[in-house]
């Protein structure tokens, strides 16, 4: 049986390194990636009684930002009512292009995506940013969420044994807050 190819994404490089060290028992192969800050770790493991080839990498917090869909550079010249009505979108920031490239490249070859992000609304929101990027390359991924409170052996193995689907409601709550920040910020920076 061919091992499952699993892409694991952590919220920051130190967490990716810690998870890899624990799950590989210090035997992970380290490789550079397109982002000089985000190393890649590879090692075999067993997940849900399946042999897996694990690839662990990270993001640096949010990969995307919320902005107006149509250019709205001059907020002072735009009627404030319009600032609450104009469509908005999320896009990958320029400084995160290399991380996006990593995610696309790794996802293309994987069967599963395991998300090791902070267990709060923002972490769930980052998870959905990662999902969006990865699914553009591979829409057949099985997507799972690891829940842990510390990068310790007990917490990491417990998280691996209790993987769940991500919670889109938490992500949407973070999106709503981000949209409100953008719209109210655009209105109030006028004065």
């Amino acid at each position: 049986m061919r091992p499952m190819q699993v892409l694991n994404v952590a919220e920051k490089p130190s967490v990716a390194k810690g998870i890899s060290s624990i799950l590989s028992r210090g035997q992970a192969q380290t490789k550079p990636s397109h982002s000089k800050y985000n190393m890649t770790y590879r090692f075999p493991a067993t997940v849900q009684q399946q042999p897996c080839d694990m690839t662990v990498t990270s993001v640096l917090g949010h990969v995307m930002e919320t902005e107006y869909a149509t250019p709205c550079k001059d907020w002072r010249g735009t009627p404030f009512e319009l600032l609450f009505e104009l469509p908005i979108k999320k896009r990958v920031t320029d400084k995160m292009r290399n991380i996006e490239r990593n995610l696309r490249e790794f996802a293309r070859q994987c069967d599963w995506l395991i998300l090791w992000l902070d267990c709060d609304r923002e972490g769930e929101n980052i998870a959905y940013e990662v999902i969006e990027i990865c699914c553009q390359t591979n829409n057949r991924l099985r997507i799972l969420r690891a829940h842990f409170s510390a990068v310790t052996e007990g917490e990491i193995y417990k998280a691996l044994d209790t993987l769940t689907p991500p919670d889109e409601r938490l992500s949407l709550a973070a999106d709503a807050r981000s949209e409100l920040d953008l719209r109210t910020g655009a209105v109030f920076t006028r004065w």
Side-chain angles (χ1 to χ4, degrees), residues 12-62:
K12 53 190 167 198
S14 61
V15 174
K17 183 178 182 179
I19 291 166
S20 299
S21 179
I22 290 167
L23 295 179
S24 73
R25 306 224 182 270
Q27 302 300 310
Q29 293 180 339
T30 305
K31 298 184 184 254
S33 72
H34 296 293
S35 171
K36 65 182 178 180
Y37 303 109
N38 304 80
M39 298 300 289
T40 303
Y41 305 90
R42 296 180 189 246
F43 54 91
T46 301
V47 180
Q48 298 183 343
Q49 291 114 37
Q50 298 226 16
C52 298
D53 286 336
M54 305 285 267
T55 299
V56 181
T57 190
S58 62
V59 293
L60 297 168
H62 282 280

Side-chain angles (χ1 to χ4, degrees), residues 3-169:
M4 299 303 285
Q5 302 300 306
V6 181
L7 172 58
N8 297 266
V9 180
E11 190 156 339
K12 53 190 167 198
S14 61
V15 174
K17 183 178 182 179
I19 291 166
S20 299
S21 179
I22 290 167
L23 295 179
S24 73
R25 306 224 182 270
Q27 302 300 310
Q29 293 180 339
T30 305
K31 298 184 184 254
S33 72
H34 296 293
S35 171
K36 65 182 178 180
Y37 303 109
N38 304 80
M39 298 300 289
T40 303
Y41 305 90
R42 296 180 189 246
F43 54 91
T46 301
V47 180
Q48 298 183 343
Q49 291 114 37
Q50 298 226 16
C52 298
D53 286 336
M54 305 285 267
T55 299
V56 181
T57 190
S58 62
V59 293
L60 297 168
H62 282 280
V63 183
M64 298 180 174
E65 68 182 3
T66 303
E67 64 182 15
Y68 286 103
T70 55
C72 189
K73 300 283 185 214
D74 182 17
W75 293 343
R76 293 177 200 274
T78 303
F80 76 89
E81 298 88 358
L82 265 182
L83 295 172
F84 284 101
E85 296 171 6
L86 288 171
I88 60 165
K89 66 177 183 177
K90 287 181 87 168
R91 72 167 187 89
V92 176
T93 63
D94 291 339
K95 66 182 180 180
M96 297 295 176
R97 290 287 176 204
N98 286 335
I99 291 173
E100 176 190 32
R101 187 173 169 196
N102 283 343
L103 295 173
R104 286 179 189 269
E105 186 176 296
F106 297 141
R108 184 174 288 117
Q109 306 157 11
C110 286
D111 303 300
W112 294 359
L113 171 62
I114 301 177
L115 301 157
W116 298 84
L117 301 147
D118 288 355
C119 295
D120 57 19
R121 285 185 189 137
E122 292 303 319
E124 211 70 15
N125 195 250
I126 296 167
Y128 273 88
E129 293 173 3
V130 170
I131 291 167
E132 181 178 330
I133 292 166
C134 291
C135 286
Q136 288 172 358
T137 306
N138 181 351
N139 62 5
R140 299 173 317 279
L141 287 168
R142 180 176 179 209
I143 301 166
L144 300 165
R145 184 77 161 88
H147 295 277
F148 62 104
S149 57
V151 184
T152 62
E153 187 171 336
E155 284 285 317
I156 296 304
Y157 278 108
K158 178 181 171 192
L160 196 62
D161 289 340
T162 58
L163 296 169
T164 63
D167 187 345
E168 188 175 22
R169 295 169 303 164

